[in-house]
Amino acid sequence: DTGVSQNPRHKITKRGQNVTFRCDPISEHNRLYWYRQTLGQGPEFLTYFQNEAQLEKSRLLSDRFSAERPKGSFSTLEIQRTEQGDSAMYLCASSLGRPSGSTDTQYFGPGTRLTVL
Amino acid sequence: GENVEQHPSTLSVQEGDSAVIKCTYSDSASNYFPWYKQELGKGPQLIIDIRSNVGEKKDQRIAVTLNKTAKHFSLHITETQPEDSAVYFCAPKPLTNFGNEKLTFGTGTRLTIIP
């Protein structure tokens, strides 16, 4: 399977704990995105990387959230001091990174479902 | 930012009938109009897209039509099948802004095909 993969698929944690999710993009995809999706809503953009550079962050990404893509391949999303409001599906997507003005299709992974008790 | 709405929010159709979902957007700079399908337990997947220089695009049983003046575009599914049951999202965006790579998803439409 050469699609976007995410681990773990499910995570249950207690409030106040730290959690880390991993995303492995499609190989040769330069761009990697993180989105959050709550029940009954569409995905909301969190941040994206062009290779290892984090180029845009949403205001949804509070200081408890940090994302990295150290070698321009896989990425991690860490949430510190989790709160019940962090419960959601965290989706990762990747794209080739075509120039602006071109369509640059984003391919999504299956997501990591986080439940904060 | 972009304000994106979809109608209806839920839609049930008999197998074999057609389904139409409408997406209304606010950003007049949007010139790329994709539709995503999200099945239970999976991430969204692109099913069809259109650029603003084209009014309609068709791919087998699905089609997208665009009314740029009125700022809306629609997804049409003909001869619906049970596997079409899913949540559908539109995500219009401009292609010209460097750095503006994020997708802003609509409110979603849950389509149920009744066998």
Side-chain angles (χ1 to χ4, degrees):
Chain A
D1 189 342
T2 57
V4 178
S5 61
Q6 293 187 244
N7 288 288
R9 294 292 310 276
H10 303 274
K11 179 70 177 179
I12 300 173
T13 190
K14 292 183 179 178
R15 189 177 53 189
Q17 298 295 305
N18 299 344
V19 293
T20 300
F21 311 140
R22 175 178 170 128
C23 170
D24 287 89
I26 295 171
S27 60
E28 299 177 356
H29 276 196
N30 294 324
R31 290 187 184 145
L32 186 148
Y33 312 77
W34 285 99
Y35 291 82
R36 182 175 72 183
Q37 185 175 27
T38 53
L39 205 60
Q41 303 296 317
E44 296 175 291
F45 171 79
L46 293 178
T47 188
Y48 96 94
F49 294 83
Q50 173 84 29
N51 299 311
E52 64 272 11
Q54 189 173 17
L55 294 187
E56 188 175 354
K57 292 195 290 186
S58 161
R59 60 180 180 275
L60 292 175
L61 212 67
S62 75
D63 56 5
R64 295 185 298 104
F65 288 70
S66 63
E68 294 182 345
R69 195 183 183 197
K71 298 181 181 178
S73 56
F74 73 91
S75 175
T76 58
L77 177 67
E78 181 184 16
I79 309 174
Q80 296 182 327
R81 306 181 302 281
T82 52
E83 302 173 354
Q84 288 184 325
D86 297 332
S87 294
M89 175 78 83
Y90 289 85
L91 292 162
C92 175
S94 69
S95 69
L96 272 171
R98 295 185 187 279
S100 290
S102 305
T103 56
D104 190 32
T105 301
Q106 295 183 26
Y107 297 86
F108 284 80
T112 295
R113 180 167 297 283
L114 172 67
T115 302
V116 182
L117 302 175
Chain B
E2 179 83 274
N3 183 31
V4 184
E5 294 185 355
Q6 289 179 228
H7 295 279
S9 56
T10 60
L11 180 60
S12 295
V13 301
Q14 289 291 140
E15 182 178 353
D17 288 350
S18 296
V20 182
I21 302 169
K22 184 177 179 180
C23 178
T24 304
Y25 60 96
S26 62
D27 187 352
S28 56
S30 291
N31 54 5
Y32 173 60
F33 306 96
W35 283 97
Y36 280 79
K37 175 184 181 182
Q38 187 172 26
E39 297 175 285
L40 199 61
K42 298 183 180 180
Q45 300 301 318
L46 179 72
I47 56 171
I48 196 166
D49 57 8
I50 196 171
R51 296 189 65 162
S52 59
N53 57 347
V54 177
E56 181 174 353
K57 182 178 178 181
K58 188 173 181 180
D59 182 4
Q60 298 182 2
R61 294 187 299 107
I62 60 173
V64 55
T65 58
L66 171 65
N67 185 330
K68 205 163 190 299
T69 303
K71 288 193 262 183
H72 65 74
F73 62 110
S74 297
L75 175 68
H76 305 255
I77 306 174
T78 59
E79 301 171 23
T80 52
Q81 300 170 4
E83 53 265 36
D84 295 329
S85 293
V87 180
Y88 291 82
F89 293 100
C90 60
K93 75 181 295 287
L95 290 179
T96 55
N97 294 349
F98 178 77
N100 183 17
E101 305 302 336
K102 65 183 178 186
L103 291 172
T104 301
F105 286 86
T107 45
T109 297
R110 180 173 298 280
L111 175 63
T112 303
I113 306 303
I114 304 166

